[in-house]
């Protein structure tokens, strides 16, 4: 089902990315936000949720790879000591159960183990990072894009809630305190003629060039976490919040420690009921695993911590009318129906599109043209239709007939049979025949130039569409053989812009194998799977030479690669046009060594393999520990292997092979001793 949603959802996803970038620019650069805070956060949440659910959704402007917007030229850019990351979102009980389940699985915890969460209101304000050295406030930064922010120290100094000197003596030698700048609703009453809402007022005030102007606004600050610290001796989040108060910061009166999903939900309902009585805007609650040692073990996935989630408040709904139903096609061929609706305001945003998900959803809800529908925004920028008011339906209305042929290429669409569920997928798909389908081909090329693939600066999606229309490109490799003389004659292109484009393309002829594999847009091969395959194959030649069944089955030895991925790779290599494209790439690109996580980590230059069940730690966490410390993971026993780590009931064949090759066989206990771990 997920496979088939891919293409349709991808187009919706790209619109959401464009929307959030428009909002980011308005907010972070122009200081003139155009939507309410809640709408922005829901949009961000939906993008991140979609990326988690659908592996194929990736974009350089996504909140999963960037946070906020690039720093303004009005302020000095400064790199954060540790990135200011975003949070994953939860909307209901199932989301919370899934969040906790992932924690238990990653930590290999027994489900009877109790996990404490620090529960903190999510203030709808502006994030800021404050660096203190020996208790003195040295520098303050905005979030910026998450990696680097704007130096707004002087503006932050005007906020009374931010201490210039920390109280007491038990604070760390160096610490990067993080929190939220906001305005109380009561104070905003005197400013509402100048700003759209409290968050807008806080944003605009913080980014004033003159601190004296900032001082005129009654800004407040609540501290809630830290990024970097030196000599911090506190063991858990709630204890840290108590210490923040001792040091002179304001903290939230609604902070508490809670265990159990049902207790979290009960508290969430209670706070939501009190929401309108609180003098500042909150749009949900943040749950953080309380124990810092567990936080450290859980670490981060992509652009968000595994140990925290934002539990959002209720979704917004409204009533509208379906004017048209369009079928969109994504990179993997999935056909996604999108309803064009009569524009309606939902939570401060004018909505004109709503996803209908797939053919089965349309049939189940009996959605038709002209229907009056209830539209919900549970984080969706393109919301979804949740029900039809059939009492208002025109008597002459007809059932919507989902196209059986691809609207782009006219090829017969299919519904794939899922061997696991023993059912046909809900999503109808145009079969991926390489680059035969125009819409699929265009989306594949867009994927090729994306940030996590070739990341060609200045070569955006609109340029892909323009060059396709001009027949300048038909395959990804065509990008490296563009006719720049023809381009220079196109409207909007001058000598400088053409030279810049040529330079950007020429500098991208060197790429790591994992990024190259990912750039091919092979279905079910996301970034992580591409990395696993690249580590196993080691060279472009090995990747290009995969031609027979034996080559593909060999990939099953890679932990994390299964039949689904193997079939996708086989399908990719069975297409003659794909093979021709790969041969051309062999003459164009140069493969670079894979990037290491930590320079000089204790496992630098060492390769590990795991076999058997580990105790108190999941295999995913063990691999994460190895990679964090510059080590490499092997999927088979070979001469290059340094350590075979064995757990309970290891594969005897692997142990014997390792001994025959004089490879060091160590226990889980010895492995953890190498890391100096005492937490298991």
């Amino acid at each position: 089902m997920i496979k088939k949603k891919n293409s349709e959802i991808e187009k919706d996803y790209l619109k959401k990315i464009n929307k959030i970038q428009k909002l980011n620019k308005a907010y972070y650069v122009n200081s003139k936000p155009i939507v309410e805070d809640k709408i922005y956060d829901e949009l961000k949440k939906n993008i991140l949720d979609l990326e988690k659910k659908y592996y194929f959704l990736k974009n350089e402007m996504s909140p999963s790879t960037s946070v906020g917007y690039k720093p303004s030229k009005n302020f000095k850019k400064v790199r954060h000591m540790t990135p200011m990351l975003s949070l994953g979102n939860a909307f209901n009980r199932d989301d919370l159960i899934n969040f906790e389940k992932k924690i238990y699985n990653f930590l290999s915890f027994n489900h009877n183990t109790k996990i404490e969460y620090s529960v903190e209101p999510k203030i709808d304000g502006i994030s800021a990072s404050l660096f203190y050295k020996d208790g003195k406030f040295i520098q303050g930064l905005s979030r910026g894009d998450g990696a680097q922010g704007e130096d707004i120290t002087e503006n932050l100094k005007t906020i009374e809630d931010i201490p210039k000197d920390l109280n007491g003596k038990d604070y760390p030698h160096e610490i990067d305190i993080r929190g939220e700048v906001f305005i109380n609703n009561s104070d905003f009453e005197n400013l509402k003629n100048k700003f759209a809402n409290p968050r807008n007022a806080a944003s605009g005030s913080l980014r004033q060039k003159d601190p004296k102007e900032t001082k005129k606004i009654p800004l407040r600050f609540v501290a809630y976490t830290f990024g970097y610290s030196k000599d911090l001796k506190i063991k858990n989040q709630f204890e840290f919040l108590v210490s923040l108060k001792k040091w002179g910061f304001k903290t939230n009166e609604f902070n508490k420690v809670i265990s159990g999903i049902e207790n979290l939900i009960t508290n969430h309902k209670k706070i939501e009921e009190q929401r309108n009585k609180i003098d500042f805007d909150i749009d949900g609650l943040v749950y953080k695993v309380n124990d810092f040692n567990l936080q450290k073990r859980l670490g981060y996935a992509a652009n968000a911590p595994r140990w925290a989630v934002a539990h959002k408040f209720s979704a917004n709904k409204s009533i509208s009318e379906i004017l048209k139903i369009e079928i969109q096609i994504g990179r993997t061929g999935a056909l996604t129906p999108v309803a064009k609706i009569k524009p309606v305001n939902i939570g401060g945003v004018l909505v004109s599109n709503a996803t209908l998900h797939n053919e089965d959803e349309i049939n189940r809800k009996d959605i038709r043209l002209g229907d009056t529908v209830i539209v919900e925004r549970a984080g969706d920028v393109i919301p979804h239709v949740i029900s039809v008011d059939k009492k208002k339906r025109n008597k002459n209305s007809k059932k919507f007939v989902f196209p059986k042929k691809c609207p782009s290429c006219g090829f017969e669409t299919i519904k794939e049979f899922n061997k696991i569920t023993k059912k046909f997928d809900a999503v109808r798909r145009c079969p991926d025949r390489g680059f035969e389908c125009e819409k699929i081909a265009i989306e594949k090329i867009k994927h090729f130039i994306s940030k996590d693939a070739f990341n060609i600066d200045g070569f955006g999606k609109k340029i892909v569409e323009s060059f396709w229309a001009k027949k300048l490109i038909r395959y990804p490799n065509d990008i490296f053989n563009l006719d720049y003389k023809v381009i220079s004659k196109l409207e909007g292109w001058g000598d400088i812009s053409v030279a810049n484009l040529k330079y950007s393309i020429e500098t991208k002829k060197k790429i790591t194998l994992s990024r190259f594999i990912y750039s091919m847009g092979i279905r079910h091969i996301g970034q992580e799977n591409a990395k696993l395959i690249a580590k196993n194959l080691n060279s472009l030649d090995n990747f290009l030479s995969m031609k027979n069944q034996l080559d593909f089955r060999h990939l099953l030895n890679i932990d994390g690669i299964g039949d689904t991925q193997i079939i996708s790779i086989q399908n990719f290599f069975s297409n003659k046009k794909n093979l021709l494209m790969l041969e051309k790439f062999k003459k164009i690109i140069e493969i670079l060594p894979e990037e290491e996580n930590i320079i000089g980590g204790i496992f630098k230059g060492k390769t590990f393999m795991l076999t058997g069940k580990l105790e108190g730690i999941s295999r995913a966490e063990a691999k994460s520990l190895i990679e964090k410390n510059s080590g490499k993971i092997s999927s088979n026993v070979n001469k290059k292997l340094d350590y075979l780590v064995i757990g309970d009931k290891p594969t005897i064949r692997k142990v014997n092979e390792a001994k025959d090759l004089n490879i060091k066989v160590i226990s889980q206990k010895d492995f953890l001793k190498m890391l100096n771990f005492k937490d298991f």
Side-chain angles (χ1 to χ4, degrees):
M1 184 172 179
I2 291 177
K3 299 175 184 177
K4 294 204 170 186
K5 280 186 179 180
N6 293 2
S7 69
E8 300 145 16
I9 290 179
E10 188 169 16
K11 283 202 172 182
D12 290 345
Y13 166 79
L14 293 175
K15 290 182 180 178
K16 293 170 187 175
I17 293 294
N18 291 334
K19 177 71 172 178
I20 202 168
Q21 276 302 296
K22 180 181 178 181
L23 299 183
N24 280 337
K25 185 173 182 180
Y27 183 76
Y28 290 100
V29 177
N30 302 327
S31 294
K32 293 181 179 179
I34 54 180
V35 297
E36 294 180 359
D37 310 343
K38 179 178 179 180
I39 303 305
Y40 174 87
D41 290 335
E42 285 179 348
L43 166 57
K44 181 175 117 177
K45 168 208 177 298
N46 183 243
I47 292 172
L48 296 176
D49 283 351
L50 283 173
E51 290 178 345
K52 287 179 182 178
K53 190 172 183 181
Y54 307 109
Y55 72 93
F56 59 92
L57 295 179
K58 294 289 178 183
N59 188 278
E60 60 183 346
M61 294 304 173
S62 164
S64 66
T65 54
S66 65
V67 181
Y69 200 79
K70 56 187 177 182
S72 166
K73 296 179 181 179
N74 294 333
F75 297 92
K76 177 184 175 183
K77 298 177 184 178
V78 179
R79 184 163 290 277
H80 293 293
M81 291 183 174
T82 56
M84 293 188 75
L85 303 178
S86 55
L87 290 176
N89 293 319
F91 290 102
N92 51 47
R93 178 182 277 100
D94 289 344
D95 291 341
L96 293 178
I97 290 172
N98 187 48
F99 166 68
E100 187 168 78
K101 182 180 178 181
K102 287 181 179 179
I103 291 175
Y104 277 105
N105 290 342
F106 191 89
L107 296 175
S108 195
F109 271 4
N110 182 300
H111 283 265
N112 292 323
T113 304
K114 184 168 130 181
I115 294 179
E116 286 188 339
Y117 297 100
S118 175
V119 179
E120 307 160 27
K122 187 176 182 297
I123 298 177
D124 205 7
I126 308 302
S127 298
S129 173
L130 318 174
F131 178 63
Y132 286 82
K133 185 170 184 178
D134 295 326
K136 292 188 178 298
F137 179 34
I138 305 298
Q139 187 177 57
L141 305 177
S142 68
R143 179 191 292 274
D145 62 4
Q148 58 181 358
E150 302 158 340
D151 187 340
I152 53 173
T153 306
E154 296 308 312
N155 289 355
L156 289 169
K157 283 181 178 179
T158 68
I159 302 175
E160 293 183 4
D161 292 344
I162 296 177
K164 309 302 183 294
D165 297 281
L166 301 182
N167 296 332
K169 296 181 180 179
D170 63 341
Y171 47 76
H173 174 59
E174 293 181 358
I175 189 165
D176 168 26
I177 302 289
R178 291 175 177 180
E180 206 79 0
V181 177
F182 65 100
I183 293 177
N184 278 340
N185 292 328
S186 55
D187 291 329
F188 180 69
E189 284 298 312
N190 299 321
L191 302 169
K192 59 185 181 182
N193 292 329
K194 297 180 181 179
F195 301 98
N197 55 51
R199 185 181 180 187
N200 293 358
S203 173
S205 303
L206 269 184
R207 304 182 70 257
Q208 292 284 341
K209 292 182 180 180
D210 186 355
K212 292 179 181 178
E213 293 300 315
T214 302
K215 193 172 183 178
K216 295 177 182 178
I217 306 299
L219 297 176
R220 297 179 180 272
F221 181 81
V222 164
Y224 52 71
T225 191
F226 66 94
Y228 162 83
S229 71
K230 187 175 182 180
D231 305 323
L232 182 67
K233 298 178 181 178
I234 296 168
K235 296 182 179 180
N236 63 61
Q237 171 66 12
F238 198 77
E239 184 184 344
F240 176 72
L241 293 174
V242 172
S243 295
L244 282 172
K245 198 168 184 179
K246 290 179 182 177
W247 297 339
F249 290 98
K250 298 285 179 64
T251 55
N252 203 297
E253 62 178 298
F254 297 99
N255 293 341
K256 59 180 66 176
V257 176
I258 297 176
S259 294
I261 298 299
E262 294 307 317
N263 293 329
L264 291 175
I265 292 172
T266 298
N267 180 68
H268 185 267
K269 289 180 180 177
K270 182 180 177 181
I271 298 297
E272 186 166 15
E273 289 171 359
Q274 299 176 2
R275 185 179 175 192
N276 293 332
K277 299 177 183 178
I278 300 173
D279 196 24
F280 47 84
D281 289 337
I282 60 174
D283 57 359
L285 299 175
V286 176
Y287 305 146
K288 303 173 185 175
V289 171
N290 196 34
D291 190 313
F292 281 164
N293 283 331
L294 294 183
Q295 287 188 14
K296 182 179 178 182
R297 286 179 61 184
L298 287 163
Y300 300 85
N303 204 39
R306 292 189 181 94
W307 43 264
V309 70
H311 189 182
K312 309 294 282 191
F313 287 141
S314 301
N316 290 311
K317 301 176 184 177
S318 192
I319 298 173
S320 186
E321 179 185 338
I322 295 181
L323 305 175
K324 185 179 180 182
I325 296 178
E326 291 184 351
I327 304 298
Q328 299 179 346
I329 306 165
R331 172 172 59 86
T332 60
L335 273 60
T336 302
V338 174
K340 299 295 181 178
I341 62 174
K342 185 176 290 185
V344 60
N345 190 298
I346 305 180
V349 170
L350 196 63
V351 174
S352 57
N353 296 318
T355 180
L356 301 177
H357 298 299
N358 53 58
E359 181 180 9
D360 285 1
E361 278 290 285
I362 291 178
N363 292 334
R364 185 175 68 82
K365 296 174 181 175
D366 189 17
I367 299 171
R368 306 182 184 185
L369 287 174
D371 273 350
T372 297
V373 294
I374 296 176
V375 182
E376 181 181 71
R377 293 191 72 254
D380 292 345
V381 175
I382 295 184
H384 59 279
V385 172
I386 59 174
S387 64
V388 176
D389 187 347
K390 294 181 181 179
K391 293 179 181 178
K392 296 182 179 179
R393 173 176 286 170
N394 189 304
K395 292 181 180 180
N396 297 320
S397 73
K398 297 180 180 179
K399 280 184 172 292
F400 178 78
V401 179
F402 205 91
K404 298 300 185 287
K405 292 188 176 183
C406 175
S408 172
C409 65
F411 201 81
E412 289 287 338
T413 58
I414 60 171
K415 281 192 173 185
E416 296 178 343
F417 184 74
N418 190 313
K419 293 181 180 179
I420 297 175
T421 63
K422 307 298 182 184
K423 296 179 181 179
F424 283 96
D425 287 342
V427 177
R428 187 169 291 279
R429 186 182 301 277
C430 174
D432 184 354
R433 298 172 294 127
F435 292 80
E436 295 294 327
C437 177
E438 178 177 328
K439 292 295 183 183
I440 293 178
I442 292 173
E443 295 304 316
K444 281 179 176 287
I445 296 173
K446 288 179 182 179
H447 174 79
F448 177 84
I449 54 98
S450 65
K451 182 178 180 181
D452 293 319
F454 269 74
N455 190 24
I456 301 176
D457 297 329
F459 204 118
K461 294 174 176 58
K462 289 184 178 179
I463 293 178
V464 171
E465 293 172 356
S466 172
F467 284 7
W468 179 278
K470 302 292 183 184
K471 298 183 179 181
L472 291 170
I473 54 174
R474 284 294 180 267
Y475 299 91
N477 54 279
D478 291 336
I479 291 173
F480 295 96
N481 295 293
L482 288 171
D483 189 331
Y484 294 104
K485 290 183 179 179
V486 172
I487 295 173
S488 65
K489 296 177 182 178
L490 298 178
E491 184 179 351
W493 289 90
D495 292 341
I496 295 177
S497 57
V498 170
N500 288 339
L501 178 65
K502 184 177 181 180
Y503 174 79
S504 294
I505 292 172
E506 290 299 316
T507 57
K508 296 299 180 178
K509 289 184 176 180
K510 297 181 179 181
I511 192 171
T512 61
L513 181 58
S514 63
R515 288 172 75 100
F516 176 74
I517 294 173
Y518 174 72
S519 76
M520 293 294 97
I522 303 172
R523 196 169 166 205
H524 302 301
I525 305 300
Q527 287 177 271
E528 293 306 313
N529 284 337
K531 288 178 183 178
L532 293 174
I533 294 169
K535 286 181 181 179
N536 182 266
L537 297 179
N538 294 321
S539 72
L540 180 61
D541 284 337
N542 288 339
F543 177 69
L544 299 181
S545 65
M546 288 198 300
K547 295 177 181 177
N548 56 53
Q549 184 72 14
L550 186 61
D551 291 331
F552 298 121
R553 301 311 294 177
H554 170 71
L555 296 178
L556 281 175
N557 293 325
I558 304 174
D559 188 27
I561 301 296
D563 285 329
T564 300
Q565 288 77 27
I566 298 295
I567 292 170
S568 287
I569 295 171
Q570 281 181 301
N571 290 339
F572 176 80
F573 276 90
S574 66
N575 186 284
K576 292 182 179 180
K577 291 188 177 181
N578 286 341
L579 294 177
L580 180 62
M581 175 182 67
L582 290 175
E583 285 301 317
K584 291 180 179 179
F585 268 120
K586 191 175 180 180
K587 301 175 183 178
I588 296 171
I589 66 169
E590 176 185 343
I591 296 298
L592 299 171
E594 295 292 326
E595 301 164 354
E596 294 188 347
N597 285 345
I598 300 176
I599 298 174
I602 61 173
F603 291 157
K604 183 176 175 62
K606 302 296 181 183
T607 302
F608 291 77
M609 184 178 176
L610 306 169
T611 182
K613 179 176 174 55
L614 303 179
E615 292 296 327
I617 178 175
S618 66
R619 183 165 292 204
E621 184 178 2
K623 288 183 175 181
S624 176
L625 288 170
I626 291 168
E627 291 176 341
K628 283 179 181 177
N629 287 278
S630 300
K632 296 180 180 179
I633 308 292
S634 176
S635 60
N636 53 63
V637 179
N638 55 58
K639 292 180 180 180
K640 294 181 180 180
L641 187 66
D642 295 292
Y643 295 98
L644 178 66
V645 181
I646 61 172
D648 185 40
K649 297 181 180 179
T651 303
I652 300 303
R653 174 182 57 80
K654 293 179 181 178
V655 175
N656 291 335
E657 287 178 356
K659 289 179 178 179
D660 290 341
L661 293 172
N662 293 318
I663 293 166
K664 195 165 185 179
V665 179
I666 61 174
S667 67
Q668 176 186 336
K669 185 176 180 180
D670 291 333
F671 167 66
L672 294 176
K673 277 184 180 179
M674 294 171 72
L675 287 162
N676 196 28
F677 261 86
K678 301 176 183 178
D679 304 321
F680 298 91

